Amino acid sequence: MNTYDTLSSWQTKDSRLSLYLFNFHRAVRPSRFAATILVMLTGMLACQSTLVQAEPSAQKWQKPHKPDSTEAIHQQLPFYPSRASTDRPLKPEMFESPEVCKGCHSEIYQQWQRSVMANSWKDPIYRALFKRASQATDGQVDNFCIACHSPIGMTSMNGSAATLEEPNDNLPGVNCEVCHNIRGITGSDNGAYILAPNREKHIKLGPRHDANSPYHQTEYSDLHTKSEFCSVCHNVSHPYNSTPIERTYDEWQESAYNEQGIQCQDCHMTPGPGQQTNPGRSAIMGKEREHIYSHAFSGGNSTLHQYFDDPIGAELAREMLRSAATMEFITLPESLVAGELATIQLKVSNVGAGHKLPTGFPEGREVWVDFTVNSNEQTAIYRSGAVVDGHTEPGTRSFKVTLGDKNGDVVDLNVWEVDRILSDTRILPHGYAIVEYTFLVPDNITGPVTLDAKLNYWPFSQHLIDELLGEGKLTVDIVTMTTASAELKVTDKPGGTIAKHTTGAKTGRH
């Protein structure tokens, strides 16, 4: 049973397994081994029967369960199909402008201003895809999308896809007033936050017990120090069939990083990879502290930073990517034989990402190996991993998710049509993958050949960007995360000297 099998799949197996147990008992001579196997299989059958009879409410959704009636939807989910909620009806004047926060938190404001969070509503890729999704579903997914790209816009400004066409389209992205007014969560996906601004008492929630401000009151929030805070927008389930679209939080939760107490904030709210402390002050009048959380929210999307003319953020994103993986040749032959097939293996390891490599938006995120074999006498002996017509070429060794619709056909753009996961080749935290290449060594070369491998990443394929925005509107930044190279001699018969090889792999914690 794979991860995405449904419980009902056990029902067809139940009767077959019962018959198998009956025949097994008749045919096998009683022995300690046979008795042990019989007990094990009987236990499995009992478990399966329990699974089949599981209560309908036993779903991924928690607190509250996914509503199954119109009345329950109105009661539990005021911004359906998002899971966002508020403590009362909200108005725009209940929120302050980030420029007000800038007065005391100038450094944090500058970090946030160039972040993807700040530009979550302005992101051209999101806007184009959101417009398509809204048109295809008659607006049914509007709240689902806006909940995490403009929480204030959805909860207090009646934001929708139609807002994209308005001349005064000025919905805020994820700003100070969003995060520091979230008082709780009701689940771990689809925007399940409770947004509760308190202008009357002027309270801001944050990670400090001893924070003090002359302008507003402060209140400690343990939630703000935990990955659960991030889960509400970094876990995404299809709103109508619950297919797991994005699972960054779950990937972390099931990893050793969680067991070790390493939170999302410990990697994505620091000055850069490997920098665990950031001494300074959160505000101009604040206390000097050993560590201040960076509000650049560094991730891997250098393409968006380039689009918003932020070279600092773009380079920081590249550094994050370079710290995430290593790559090395394994079991290299001592030499290659002219005129014969050669097989080469590469090991790609996730050494720095506390989630799968890659993670996030599955239709775009892709890590792949661009592998070439060349010689001084004959270039381009072999290549796999080139970009052709905006895609990685067929046969490329890629690490990515492939989504499918209800017919099992690949979904490469219209995420609202997703009904299942067709494949997932991404690398687990602290995990690795072995990729293999077989090629023919030309029979007319005598000199050495060089093996070169690049581990590349892009947040979206160029084809997808061209489809959404038009050709030439935005160029995707392909980041080389790490490299590996080797030189092998070519002989007329097996044997020769041991290969020389190097690697450009870097280690670090993401």
Side-chain angles (χ1 to χ4, degrees):
M1 180 179 183
N2 65 44
T3 307
Y4 304 107
D5 277 343
T6 61
L7 297 182
S8 61
S9 66
W10 289 100
Q11 293 173 324
T12 57
K13 302 173 186 177
D14 194 5
S15 59
R16 292 200 302 268
L17 188 54
S18 297
L19 180 61
Y20 176 83
L21 287 173
F22 176 77
N23 291 333
F24 178 90
H25 183 66
R26 291 179 58 190
V28 179
R29 181 178 179 180
S31 67
R32 180 176 298 177
F33 173 76
T36 301
I37 294 298
L38 183 60
V39 169
M40 291 173 62
L41 290 173
T42 304
M44 289 171 60
L45 179 57
C47 291
Q48 292 165 11
S49 298
T50 301
L51 284 171
V52 171
Q53 298 168 7
E55 293 296 323
S57 60
Q59 304 175 48
K60 177 70 178 178
W61 283 57
Q62 299 173 349
K63 300 184 300 183
H65 296 303
K66 187 174 181 179
D68 54 9
S69 70
T70 302
E71 181 181 358
I73 288 173
H74 288 311
Q75 289 179 349
Q76 299 176 7
L77 303 175
F79 302 100
Y80 185 78
S82 86
R83 300 181 66 183
S85 60
T86 62
D87 62 340
R88 63 194 186 284
L90 303 183
K91 298 179 180 179
E93 55 267 26
M94 294 178 176
F95 300 95
E96 292 184 300
S97 165
E99 280 64 42
V100 173
C101 309
K102 177 183 178 181
C104 294
H105 304 278
S106 57
E107 185 176 0
I108 285 177
Y109 173 86
Q110 291 169 9
Q111 295 166 352
W112 165 82
Q113 188 181 37
R114 66 172 188 264
S115 72
V116 173
M117 293 286 195
N119 292 297
S120 59
W121 178 254
K122 299 176 183 177
D123 174 355
I125 303 163
Y126 157 74
R127 291 169 72 89
L129 192 56
F130 177 33
K131 187 181 299 185
R132 284 191 176 213
S134 181
Q135 292 172 348
T137 63
D138 294 325
Q140 293 182 55
V141 299
D142 282 19
N143 281 345
F144 178 76
C145 298
I146 299 179
C148 287
H149 281 262
S150 182
I152 292 175
M154 182 189 71
T155 58
S156 71
M157 302 170 72
N158 296 317
S160 69
T163 308
L164 298 172
E165 308 300 332
E166 296 176 359
N168 59 340
D169 170 20
N170 60 350
L171 296 190
V174 180
N175 62 21
C176 320
E177 287 288 86
V178 171
C179 293
H180 294 283
N181 280 306
I182 288 179
R183 189 160 288 276
I185 62 176
T186 61
S188 59
D189 66 353
N190 295 7
Y193 52 77
I194 303 171
L195 187 58
N198 192 328
R199 286 299 296 271
E200 294 78 16
K201 295 184 179 180
H202 212 191
I203 296 175
K204 306 300 176 189
L205 302 163
R208 306 289 184 191
H209 286 281
D210 58 347
N212 187 30
S213 168
Y215 178 67
H216 59 76
Q217 295 188 50
T218 61
E219 183 177 316
Y220 171 72
S221 168
D222 182 65
L223 176 62
H224 282 65
T225 70
K226 302 293 179 59
S227 297
E228 284 69 22
F229 186 84
C230 311
S231 72
V232 293
C233 285
H234 292 279
N235 260 7
V236 179
S237 303
H238 192 289
Y240 301 113
N241 62 36
S242 296
T243 302
I245 306 296
E246 298 180 31
R247 278 295 180 271
T248 302
Y249 169 78
D250 283 0
E251 293 160 16
W252 166 85
Q253 187 184 45
E254 296 166 1
S255 77
Y257 288 78
N258 178 22
E259 294 297 324
Q260 296 164 5
I262 301 172
Q263 307 294 325
C264 304
Q265 294 89 332
D266 296 328
C267 295
H268 294 281
M269 294 188 73
T270 69
Q275 300 184 47
Q276 299 180 12
T277 59
N278 181 34
R281 301 173 186 266
S282 296
I284 54 176
M285 75 296 286
K287 297 180 180 181
E288 187 72 27
R289 302 185 186 276
E290 292 183 1
H291 180 67
I292 301 298
Y293 288 104
S294 168
H295 284 62
F297 303 106
S298 300
N301 200 335
S302 58
T303 296
L304 272 185
H305 286 286
Q306 283 194 161
Y307 175 83
F308 288 114
D309 193 24
D310 175 26
I312 296 174
E315 187 55 32
L316 185 53
R318 296 185 192 106
E319 289 179 12
M320 294 287 283
L321 291 167
R322 292 169 190 146
S323 73
T326 60
M327 182 169 59
E328 59 185 326
F329 288 103
I330 58 174
T331 61
L332 276 175
E334 292 185 349
S335 64
L336 303 180
V337 180
E340 293 189 3
L341 292 173
T343 297
I344 301 295
Q345 290 185 323
L346 276 163
K347 179 180 180 180
V348 183
S349 302
N350 178 353
V351 298
H355 41 67
K356 288 183 179 180
L357 184 67
T359 192
F361 184 66
E363 292 176 290
R365 311 297 191 252
E366 182 180 12
V367 171
W368 76 95
V369 180
D370 186 356
F371 176 68
T372 59
V373 181
N374 296 294
S375 75
N376 292 332
E377 300 171 36
Q378 182 178 338
T379 59
I381 295 173
Y382 178 84
R383 184 176 186 182
S384 172
V387 174
V388 179
D389 296 328
H391 294 285
T392 49
E393 64 181 331
T396 296
R397 277 55 163 183
S398 292
F399 308 106
K400 61 177 295 186
V401 176
T402 302
L403 304 174
D405 63 16
K406 63 183 180 181
N407 299 317
D409 296 324
V410 173
V411 174
D412 59 4
L413 182 61
N414 300 339
V415 67
W416 53 92
E417 296 176 355
V418 170
D419 179 75
R420 64 199 66 192
I421 307 298
L422 298 180
S423 66
D424 185 351
T425 58
R426 297 173 300 166
I427 307 175
L428 292 168
H430 295 317
Y432 66 86
I434 305 295
V435 296
E436 188 173 278
Y437 300 91
T438 298
F439 57 92
L440 179 65
V441 181
D443 57 7
N444 58 347
I445 63 171
T446 57
V449 300
T450 57
L451 313 177
D452 290 295
K454 295 179 180 180
L455 188 67
N456 291 333
Y457 168 88
W458 57 14
F460 311 96
S461 70
Q462 189 64 57
H463 172 80
L464 184 146
I465 296 302
D466 292 345
E467 174 69 20
L468 287 174
L469 305 180
E471 291 189 22
K473 297 295 184 181
L474 189 154
T475 301
V476 176
D477 183 33
I478 299 176
V479 179
T480 297
M481 301 173 66
T482 188
T483 62
S485 62
E487 183 179 281
L488 297 175
K489 287 191 173 182
V490 178
T491 63
D492 292 331
K493 58 182 179 179
T497 58
I498 298 176
K500 300 178 181 179
H501 57 93
T502 60
T503 178
K506 300 180 181 178
T507 58
R509 185 168 64 81
H510 186 183

